[in-house]
Amino acid sequence: MNSEKLLINKSVEGRSAYKFPLLDVNPATALNENISRLEDAILPEVSELDLVRHFSKLSSMAFGVDFGFYPLGSCTMKYNPKVNEKLASLDGFNNIHPLQDEDTVQGCLKIYYEMIKDLCEISGMDWGTLQPCAGAHGEYTGLKIIRSYFLDRGEKERNIILIPESAHGTNPASAHMNGFDIRIVKSDERGLVDLEDLKKNLKDDVAGIMLTNPNTLGLFEVDILKIGKLVHDAGGLLYYDGANMNAIMGKARPRDMGFDVVHFNLHKTFSTPHGGGGPGSGPVLFVEKLKKFVPVPDVVFSNGKYQLDWKKEKSLGKVSSFYGNFLVIVRAYAYILSMGCDGLRSASEHAVLNANYMRVRLEKKYTVAYDKICMHEFVLSLQNLKNSTGVSALDISKSLIDRGYHPPTMYFPMIVHEALMFEPTETESLQVMDECCDVILDLYDKAVSQPEELKKSPCKTVIGRVDEVLAARNPVLKG
Amino acid sequence: MYSYIPHTSSDEKKMLEAIGVNSIDELFVDLKDGGCLLKDFLKIEEGLSEEEVIRKVKKLATMNVQGISFLGAGVYDHIIPSAVTSLSSLPGFVTSYTPYQAEISQGILEAFFEFQTMICSLTSLPVSNATLYDGASAAAEAASLILSSKRSCNEIIVSSTISPFSLACIKTWIKGTGNTLVILPENKGVSDFNALEGLITNKTAGLIVQTPNKYGFFEDLTGVSSKVHSFKGLFAISSDPLSLSLQKSQGQWGADIAIGDTQSLGVPMAFGGPSAGYMAVSSDLMRKIPGRIVGQTVDNQGNTAYVLTLQAREQHIKRERATSNICSNEALICITNVIYTSQLGFRGMKEAALQSRAKAQYLFEGLKKLSFIKTKNKDFFLEFPIEFDSCKKMEKFLFLLKEKGIFGGVRLYPLTNNKEDDKTILVAVTEKRTKEEMDKYLEIVGRLENE
Amino acid sequence: MSKIIDELLYTKDHEWLKIEGTEAFVGITDYAQNSLGEIVYVELPVVDDEFSAKEEIANVESVKAASAIYSPVSGTVSEVNEELSDKPELLNKDCYSNFIFKLKDIKMEEDLLDADAYREYLKTID
């Protein structure tokens, strides 16, 4: 058995792993008894070597982009350049307090300012904020800007956000958090927004529509200019979920498509590491008329100096403590410097090339949800396979693990049955994709000839399939 | 040729042939048809080599000034052990995705589980999540949790002594939700609990307080939880997790919700981000707490296994009915935190806390002696406010220190926007500061005595 | 084929009602429990709380899904099935014998379906 005991179970009373310098002043006075802690907390007592072995072991029981191919649709698991890690660890960034005088943090402020400008250039927008800490946080902030816009105009009745049925779960949740209600817009047989259904839904109560383009099926909304006009004519705004931006960097800009607010995911499109689920960063960019609602502080350049501007009368306020996930922003900033206008365009072109290549290879046996040129990702439907062999998208995914690959995204978007969404990204080579496709095609044959084998997978991992029902019925959430 | 894009022209040729197109441009035909295709390159400079990127960014880092920091207000210059930095940089942690595939993510899931266990132990509450974005947004999530748990209520009372950033996030969140924020006033630097009764209505869902509060003072919360529970409200307390090694934990105070920022657990200051927020709750709130949660279960062979659980609370399932839209957590910060607390243990955390307090008291005693400074007679953790006779004196004080590479304190007025705070600074002292540094501080500002 | 009991009334949201004068027992149908999969948690309403028709009154969760239960008629909660707190899986085992909550002082709604109408409705959505 390969698993790792909880560290606390390796505790030996009295053992310690860190030595502080001796106190060079008088000891602290005791706290008043009223406010003193009662029982001690129970934390590990181990040696530094125990600590290092434990966490080293844990890090080896994980699957990173550094280890293998990660074609997770909608996540853009591209390579995380090491130079970005090196730069994010500089003392000149880490030892800086957010409330130091502005003249002592000109480097940090310049990075902020230039980053916003770069992202504006990429999106076509007029200004932005780097304060949100994640994509969903960016959505929340962007929708709050929309909310603020309509309240400022006295249009309180604009209470509805339209969302396509293929949307990611954060979209309706973010809308709801801002006090909006949702109306779903149907997809047509092309997998795109149904214009007739959109027209039906564009009533006086609509504040806007949230879209991603390409959409969650990896398809480009060819009618986007028409959609933009329809929504604007109805008095609404357009919100761009930038999760799929990796398909169109330098090829198209959300502003030109008619969007008014955009969020990007630096941990997707701009190569910052996923870290096991964070920290990320969700910058929000917007058009000129929305600038007054920017979260405080804004970053400005005036009299040759970068400054923080807290005096924004109509600002929506704050969404996080300070200015955003600065070290994540440093990484993305370095990435943009490394790629440049030519590299960013090339990245999107090769992301799309890679996705189409995998699509045509897998199409030989599998059913692609929409049989046409895709963008940076595509969706397979394994419903037919399931009907004929009983092998599901889940079974194929778990079998891929045994073959050394991270599975694709499963069961999303919800409008495709037994969905598997693949996004190879541009950092993967032809050889890596060929090997992976060979395996996936082989699994199809195994599904037909030995379905029971696939249902047992994974077998080569530390643990087998987990009992999620038990975990949810009788939650054990601490040791 | 770009470092991160591996394709050779022969690779491209093979791929285009397989796809059945003549050029990459043909793959973007929908953009063309849609009227969106860009012709020109973006107005961003061309890509640089790695060496050039390093030179450029290092130069930016040197434009910042590092100093001896006595700055606080939610971010502190604590000692970070080398093992914490080293272990939290391991590629298995850094380059992994969210652990949705449990079989290949046991390491990350177990680390989250250990974090949750640690937070439960520190806060004395039974259920913790695996972090939120930061302490300030955690306060907004707590307000949201409290209000959504009480069907007929739409008011929440928040003490004016919580961090101004937390208060700002709550204010931003509450706009447009139809709920009302009620402020509990302060008196002599701490929450005025005598005023609490008068603010409670039949629409009050609960109360949020902070200790140590925004001034650094400890608050005595005796009797507060029973007051809040007497009208079936929910009680949330925000605390710096390091302070929990000394002061009564949120659970010990009878709170239902514990929140705070984890920057003081092994996270660099880094100009304010990234950090993480923690939230722990009573068992009643287990199915409502936002954020990712890891549970212990078994696999199909009966082995102990960890998995993301209670996902039905989250946005990808509840969608518009989710109480929060949160998707990411601050996973790597979460892992950093649990490495830090595991390395120090409770004894080490207590030592860091006591040394911070001892040094803060040392500096406080020294500053108290200056004739141009007023101090409040309240117990603090590692941070305290000092008030000057005049703004001019305050600016001179900070200037003299800055000249010598010392960042002497945070001006309070820009944080609170209260006119009465315009001659006050917050001074924070951590275990990292030395007597030598503090004596230098006192010697420099002592010169102002003669002016 | 989804199981349907003839004597009960149904809603398009896959709830069943058993009317007893001015009171009603409410639960979820076989179609609902089957779609949800293994049920892990049931959030029960609070006794004495009042609800209007179509208002969200309870929640049923599985590992991969969360389903809101909307009150089929207006009324006041008089009883809840406490057993479901410890054994949510009872709804999978027998969804018709295990009610979720009981309402009193109900006001009937016009869009309730009888067994045949519900049967027909199920045919249209599959």
Side-chain angles (χ1 to χ4, degrees):
Chain A
M1 225 243 300
N2 243 342
S3 68
E4 173 69 4
K5 255 192 342 200
L6 293 174
L7 188 59
I8 200 142
N9 297 336
K10 298 186 192 171
S11 286
V12 172
E13 200 189 320
R15 206 164 262 173
S16 90
Y18 190 74
K19 185 167 128 185
F20 282 96
L22 288 177
L23 187 58
D24 49 6
V25 297
N26 284 337
T29 60
L31 266 67
N32 201 316
E33 214 185 308
N34 285 17
I35 62 171
S36 292
R37 193 181 173 98
L38 301 171
E39 313 84 54
D40 285 356
I42 299 174
L43 295 177
E45 285 179 275
V46 295
S47 68
E48 186 168 318
L49 184 53
D50 288 335
L51 182 84
V52 169
R53 286 193 176 139
H54 176 74
F55 285 101
S56 298
K57 183 76 200 280
L58 292 187
S59 81
S60 75
M61 299 198 295
F63 191 106
V65 174
D66 275 11
F67 302 158
F69 187 26
Y70 232 114
L72 269 176
S74 217
C75 299
T76 314
M77 296 298 288
K78 63 172 76 178
Y79 171 61
N80 311 136
K82 299 298 180 196
V83 64
N84 300 347
E85 296 307 306
K86 182 184 181 137
L87 295 169
S89 68
L90 292 174
D91 282 347
F93 296 137
N94 282 268
N95 291 351
I96 305 298
H97 191 284
L99 298 172
Q100 287 180 208
D101 288 349
E102 280 167 18
D103 61 323
T104 65
V105 298
Q106 288 294 296
C108 293
L109 294 177
K110 182 166 178 174
I111 288 176
Y112 260 96
Y113 190 84
E114 294 204 345
M115 188 67 181
I116 293 176
K117 286 190 64 198
D118 282 347
L119 294 178
C120 281
E121 180 59 24
I122 293 167
S123 61
M125 295 297 170
D126 297 317
W127 197 235
T129 174
L130 306 180
Q131 214 179 104
C133 302
H137 207 195
E139 285 177 31
Y140 164 73
T141 306
L143 286 172
K144 198 158 272 294
I145 288 175
I146 291 178
R147 187 42 129 190
S148 306
Y149 173 77
F150 286 112
L151 286 176
D152 190 48
R153 289 162 66 91
E155 292 180 53
K156 266 193 298 224
E157 69 290 351
R158 289 198 180 266
N159 212 16
I160 299 286
I161 292 285
L162 299 178
I163 293 180
E165 53 183 352
S166 56
H168 191 271
T170 51
N171 290 173
S174 305
H176 181 68
M177 270 178 100
N178 276 292
F180 287 116
D181 281 321
I182 317 294
R183 269 210 296 271
I184 306 288
V185 179
K186 298 208 197 80
S187 310
D188 60 18
E189 64 296 334
R190 302 172 297 170
L192 306 175
V193 167
D194 183 328
L195 288 179
E196 290 314 307
D197 199 49
L198 173 64
K199 285 184 194 150
K200 262 192 257 163
N201 276 292
L202 277 171
K203 306 189 194 144
D204 285 337
D205 57 0
V206 169
I209 185 167
M210 281 179 94
L211 288 174
T212 180
N213 193 13
N215 67 14
T216 55
L217 295 163
L219 305 173
F220 191 79
E221 293 278 358
V222 284
D223 294 328
I224 188 65
L225 292 182
K226 287 199 196 105
I227 293 171
K229 183 157 197 310
L230 283 168
V231 175
H232 284 142
D233 285 348
L237 296 176
L238 280 90
Y239 181 95
Y240 182 80
D241 177 339
N244 291 328
M245 192 64 197
N246 206 47
I248 60 168
M249 289 192 290
K251 304 294 285 183
R253 302 196 309 179
R255 175 63 173 283
D256 302 331
M257 295 180 208
F259 288 95
D260 302 288
V261 189
V262 167
H263 90 263
F264 285 145
N265 301 57
L266 297 187
H267 48 290
K268 293 186 182 186
T269 321
F270 296 94
S271 86
T272 73
H274 274 74
S281 174
V284 176
L285 299 314
F286 35 80
V287 297
E288 182 74 38
K289 69 185 180 203
L290 300 175
K291 266 168 96 163
K292 55 181 145 177
F293 305 112
V294 71
V296 283
D298 193 7
V299 182
V300 298
F301 185 64
S302 138
N303 293 333
K305 279 191 162 4
Y306 295 94
Q307 291 165 20
L308 291 171
D309 183 2
W310 292 86
K311 290 183 178 51
K312 291 241 120 89
E313 199 200 302
K314 300 217 165 169
S315 164
L316 59 87
K318 279 198 131 295
V319 297
S320 64
S321 304
F322 294 102
Y323 324 121
N325 282 348
F326 178 66
L327 294 181
V328 177
I329 292 162
V330 167
R331 290 175 173 88
Y333 180 74
Y335 177 74
I336 293 176
L337 287 175
S338 303
M339 300 300 278
C341 56
D342 47 339
L344 291 175
R345 178 182 277 194
S346 182
S348 288
E349 288 177 344
H350 288 89
V352 172
L353 177 65
N354 279 2
N356 278 288
Y357 180 73
M358 280 191 79
R359 175 181 62 81
V360 300
R361 282 222 52 200
L362 295 179
E363 211 170 36
K364 299 274 189 297
K365 295 194 176 144
Y366 290 88
T367 311
V368 181
Y370 290 89
D371 189 15
K372 64 185 294 270
I373 286 176
C374 61
M375 298 243 73
H376 65 313
E377 64 192 10
F378 63 94
V379 184
L380 297 181
S381 169
L382 272 63
Q383 186 64 58
N384 290 338
L385 187 65
K386 185 165 185 210
N387 291 343
S388 56
T389 66
V391 169
S392 67
L394 181 76
D395 298 324
I396 294 286
S397 296
K398 298 299 183 189
S399 306
L400 260 177
I401 291 174
D402 275 339
R403 308 287 203 105
Y405 296 99
H406 191 285
T409 299
M410 308 184 299
Y411 301 107
F412 181 78
M414 304 196 307
I415 56 172
V416 175
H417 294 220
E418 293 296 318
L420 285 180
M421 195 197 310
F422 289 84
E423 182 187 350
T425 85
E426 73 282 5
T427 58
E428 299 298 337
S429 71
L430 173 60
Q431 289 69 30
V432 166
M433 288 190 294
D434 269 336
E435 280 169 21
C436 183
C437 286
D438 289 342
V439 166
I440 299 176
L441 291 168
D442 184 51
L443 287 176
Y444 187 95
D445 294 336
K446 292 265 183 319
V448 173
S449 61
Q450 298 170 274
E452 337 73 48
E453 282 308 306
L454 298 192
K455 287 194 160 300
K456 283 194 218 145
S457 60
C459 308
K460 300 192 185 147
T461 45
V462 171
I463 53 156
R465 295 197 199 182
V466 295
D467 188 345
E468 293 186 292
V469 172
L470 178 67
R473 264 194 203 144
N474 301 314
V476 174
L477 308 176
K478 64 185 176 93
Chain B
M1 278 304 246
Y2 310 98
S3 318
Y4 314 133
I5 303 174
H7 303 66
T8 63
S9 37
S10 119
D11 290 337
E12 281 178 25
K13 201 153 158 265
K14 271 193 211 129
M15 293 168 76
L16 289 169
E17 218 180 284
I19 297 168
V21 293
N22 292 319
S23 68
I24 289 180
D25 282 341
E26 281 182 50
L27 299 174
F28 286 88
V29 64
D30 280 351
L31 270 70
K32 196 145 169 250
D33 292 344
C36 306
L37 188 65
L38 289 177
K39 295 197 196 67
D40 299 330
F41 279 99
L42 297 170
K43 294 189 190 62
I44 290 176
E45 282 183 34
E46 279 184 14
L48 300 172
S49 67
E50 179 177 303
E51 189 57 24
E52 288 165 312
V53 173
I54 291 174
R55 275 185 223 144
K56 195 159 183 188
V57 178
K58 269 193 170 161
K59 188 146 173 248
L60 291 168
T62 60
M63 281 168 68
N64 296 326
V65 179
Q66 299 175 57
I68 298 171
S69 179
F70 288 88
L71 306 176
V75 171
Y76 303 95
D77 187 18
H78 284 292
I79 293 176
I80 300 175
S82 314
V84 173
T85 311
S86 161
L87 292 168
S88 57
S89 317
L90 289 170
F93 292 140
V94 175
T95 70
S96 291
Y97 182 62
T98 307
Y100 286 124
Q101 299 287 354
E103 301 88 340
I104 45 176
S105 320
Q106 287 299 290
I108 302 218
L109 291 164
E110 189 170 327
F112 288 178
F113 186 80
E114 292 187 330
F115 173 89
Q116 286 167 198
T117 305
M118 177 267 290
I119 292 289
C120 287
S121 195
L122 280 178
T123 62
S124 314
L125 284 169
V127 178
S128 163
N129 66 19
T131 70
L132 300 170
Y133 304 133
D134 67 4
S137 57
E141 292 279 5
S144 172
L145 178 59
I146 290 173
L147 283 160
S148 68
S149 304
K150 302 259 126 211
R151 198 175 154 240
S152 52
C153 296
N154 62 3
E155 285 172 17
I156 180 143
I157 306 176
V158 177
S159 172
S160 71
T161 65
I162 71 168
S163 142
F165 308 121
S166 298
L167 189 56
C169 283
I170 294 175
K171 282 187 176 157
T172 297
W173 167 77
I174 212 165
K175 256 188 275 194
T177 60
N179 296 302
T180 310
L181 176 63
V182 176
I183 300 286
L184 176 70
E186 59 189 76
N187 184 13
K188 299 205 182 89
V190 292
S191 304
D192 184 1
F193 289 113
N194 292 327
L196 182 56
E197 180 74 59
L199 297 173
I200 298 168
T201 71
N202 62 355
K203 294 269 174 217
T204 308
L207 170 69
I208 304 180
V209 302
Q210 181 179 310
T211 175
N213 68 19
K214 68 181 175 188
Y215 301 114
F217 297 140
F218 285 117
E219 301 221 350
D220 186 343
L221 303 176
T222 306
V224 180
S225 73
S226 30
K227 177 101 258 190
V228 177
H229 293 146
S230 72
F231 64 86
K232 298 220 173 64
L234 292 173
F235 183 32
I237 303 175
S238 177
S239 294
D240 174 341
L242 196 61
S243 74
L244 295 174
S245 58
L246 301 181
Q247 66 163 339
K248 233 172 183 170
S249 69
Q250 292 99 332
Q252 289 167 353
W253 278 123
D256 305 286
I257 300 170
I259 48 177
D261 197 286
T262 66
Q263 185 271 329
S264 50
L265 302 179
V267 180
M269 296 189 289
F271 201 52
S275 182
Y278 74 86
M279 181 184 279
V281 297
S282 60
S283 22
D284 288 342
L285 295 172
M286 177 173 70
R287 305 263 173 191
K288 294 203 148 76
I289 186 176
R292 298 199 167 125
I293 296 191
V294 174
Q296 196 181 68
T297 181
V298 291
D299 76 349
N300 52 16
Q301 309 289 318
N303 300 314
T304 302
Y306 299 96
V307 70
L308 287 176
T309 189
L310 302 184
Q311 289 189 63
R313 300 159 301 121
E314 297 187 74
Q315 48 74 27
H316 55 285
I317 287 173
K318 270 235 169 90
R319 297 174 72 93
E320 70 274 6
R321 295 182 307 108
T323 49
S324 168
N325 75 341
I326 192 166
C327 186
S328 304
N329 56 342
E330 297 285 306
L332 199 55
I333 307 296
C334 174
I335 293 174
T336 303
N337 295 147
V338 72
I339 296 172
Y340 176 88
T341 54
S342 301
Q343 176 155 16
L344 261 56
F346 189 69
R347 194 157 7 100
M349 283 181 74
K350 218 171 152 181
E351 181 163 5
L354 285 170
Q355 284 214 14
S356 299
R357 179 175 161 81
K359 292 177 185 197
Q361 288 178 335
Y362 178 81
L363 188 58
F364 178 77
E365 290 304 316
L367 290 170
K368 221 166 90 167
K369 296 194 180 102
L370 297 168
S371 64
F372 54 87
I373 280 178
K374 268 197 304 250
T375 57
K376 282 201 165 69
N377 186 20
K378 281 257 167 357
D379 196 15
F380 52 80
F381 174 39
L382 49 65
E383 185 168 19
F384 52 87
I386 56 175
E387 197 184 345
F388 293 80
D389 290 344
S390 66
C391 288
K392 199 161 160 221
K393 207 88 180 205
M394 177 179 85
E395 291 302 332
K396 190 81 191 275
F397 181 100
L398 291 171
F399 175 77
L400 289 177
L401 287 168
K402 190 168 152 188
E403 257 192 319
K404 298 288 186 212
I406 297 175
F407 297 131
V410 172
R411 293 177 191 79
L412 189 54
Y413 174 65
L415 303 185
T416 62
N417 271 309
N418 291 334
K419 226 22 284 300
E420 316 94 68
D421 293 336
D422 70 348
K423 297 190 269 296
T424 303
I425 64 172
L426 291 175
V427 180
V429 190
T430 67
E431 75 286 7
K432 195 167 178 187
R433 300 282 73 87
T434 63
K435 179 171 185 288
E436 200 185 323
E437 286 166 347
M438 292 191 285
D439 286 341
K440 186 165 178 212
Y441 187 127
L442 290 167
E443 188 252 322
I444 291 169
V445 302
R447 291 183 225 141
L448 281 173
E449 197 69 278
N450 307 323
E451 295 189 11
Chain C
M1 253 319 305
S2 271
K3 183 175 168 198
I4 296 174
I5 303 217
D6 285 331
E7 296 74 41
L8 302 175
L9 290 176
Y10 297 85
T11 69
K12 283 190 176 167
D13 291 320
H14 311 290
E15 293 129 11
W16 58 259
L17 297 95
K18 185 169 173 202
I19 312 283
E20 291 181 353
T22 58
E23 298 192 300
F25 285 97
V26 181
I28 57 170
T29 66
D30 188 42
Y31 179 88
Q33 71 80 17
N34 195 40
S35 312
L36 279 163
E38 298 205 53
I39 292 170
V40 300
Y41 177 66
V42 181
E43 187 187 356
L44 300 165
V46 175
V47 171
D48 292 334
D49 270 2
E50 285 175 32
F51 290 87
S52 357
K54 306 276 188 301
E55 209 184 328
E56 189 178 319
I57 186 171
N59 262 289
V60 181
E61 295 174 8
S62 64
V63 170
K64 297 287 186 224
S67 211
I69 312 281
Y70 302 97
S71 192
V73 295
S74 59
T76 305
V77 181
S78 58
E79 205 184 317
V80 295
N81 187 349
E82 295 285 2
E83 260 198 302
L84 294 176
S85 301
D86 285 327
K87 296 210 186 80
E89 61 271 23
L90 288 173
L91 290 182
N92 294 117
K93 285 207 183 80
D94 192 338
C95 55
Y96 294 108
S97 317
N98 289 289
F99 75 100
I100 299 178
F101 56 89
K102 189 176 176 193
L103 294 169
K104 66 178 181 194
D105 302 328
I106 63 171
K107 247 178 67 185
M108 290 297 283
E109 288 291 305
E110 287 186 356
D111 60 354
L112 295 175
L113 308 166
D114 67 14
D116 284 328
Y118 182 60
R119 207 170 275 124
E120 284 308 307
Y121 172 64
L122 283 185
K123 287 197 192 129
T124 67
I125 55 178
D126 254 333

